[in-house]
């Protein structure tokens, strides 16, 4: 898991649990303790648990910093230039249709289109 966790193009490289965690058919608490009590090595447990913590941190931040949807919570990012509405819409349509120019992104989106 550790060395291939970012390779969504490889079979078995992701946990495939995101949907279950999102809709509540799997509790992050239960998953954490099941992982801790498993026969995985210390490093495997550590990596997987960190990914689980990062997921919950994102939800925590959105709850307690709801403005971060429109404004950065880190001041030094405020100077980032964003595209205009027209260009944003063009890019969004390209993303939806799998035409961004990024092969992995495009392949995944074409599966959904």
């Amino acid at each position: 898991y550790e060395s291939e966790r970012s390779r969504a193009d490889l079979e078995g490289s992701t946990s495939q649990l995101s949907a279950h965690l999102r809709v509540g058919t799997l509790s992050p608490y239960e998953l954490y303790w099941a992982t801790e009590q498993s026969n995985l090595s210390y490093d495997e447990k550590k990596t997987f648990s960190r990914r689980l913590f990062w997921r919950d941190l994102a939800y925590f931040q959105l709850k307690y910093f709801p403005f971060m949807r429109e404004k950065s919570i880190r001041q030094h990012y405020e100077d980032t230039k964003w595209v205009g509405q027209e260009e944003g819409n063009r890019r969004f349509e390209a993303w939806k249709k799998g035409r961004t120019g990024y092969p992995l992104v495009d392949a995944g989106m074409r599966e959904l289109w």
Side-chain angles (χ1 to χ4, degrees):
Y1 181 78
E2 169 62 32
S3 63
E4 304 295 337
R5 73 175 189 264
S6 297
R7 293 287 312 271
D9 60 323
L10 297 178
E11 187 72 33
S13 64
T14 65
S15 71
Q16 299 181 329
L17 297 173
S18 293
H20 294 285
L21 288 164
R22 180 69 180 116
V23 299
T25 55
L26 178 62
S27 157
Y29 177 85
E30 290 176 5
L31 179 57
Y32 172 79
W33 285 110
T35 303
E36 284 298 304
Q37 295 167 356
S38 74
N39 292 327
L40 294 172
S41 71
Y42 170 78
D43 286 337
E44 291 170 320
K45 291 177 186 179
K46 180 178 79 171
T47 298
F48 190 80
S49 296
R50 282 183 178 170
R51 306 312 287 175
L52 192 58
F53 290 140
W54 276 111
R55 175 196 168 273
D56 278 357
L57 176 62
Y59 285 113
F60 170 84
Q61 288 177 320
L62 282 171
K63 179 174 182 175
Y64 290 100
F65 304 101
F67 62 86
M68 72 183 276
R69 295 173 200 265
E70 281 89 38
K71 182 175 168 40
S72 178
I73 60 173
R74 294 187 180 210
Q75 189 62 38
H76 62 275
Y77 288 121
E78 282 303 308
D79 294 331
T80 300
K81 302 292 183 222
W82 296 92
V83 298
Q85 184 72 30
E86 187 175 323
E87 177 63 11
N89 288 340
R90 186 195 68 73
R91 291 181 185 186
F92 183 60
E93 289 302 316
W95 172 74
K96 287 193 319 186
K97 295 176 182 176
R99 296 202 170 113
T100 66
Y102 294 91
L104 180 61
V105 172
D106 293 345
M109 292 309 293
R110 284 193 300 270
E111 286 292 315
L112 298 173
W113 184 255

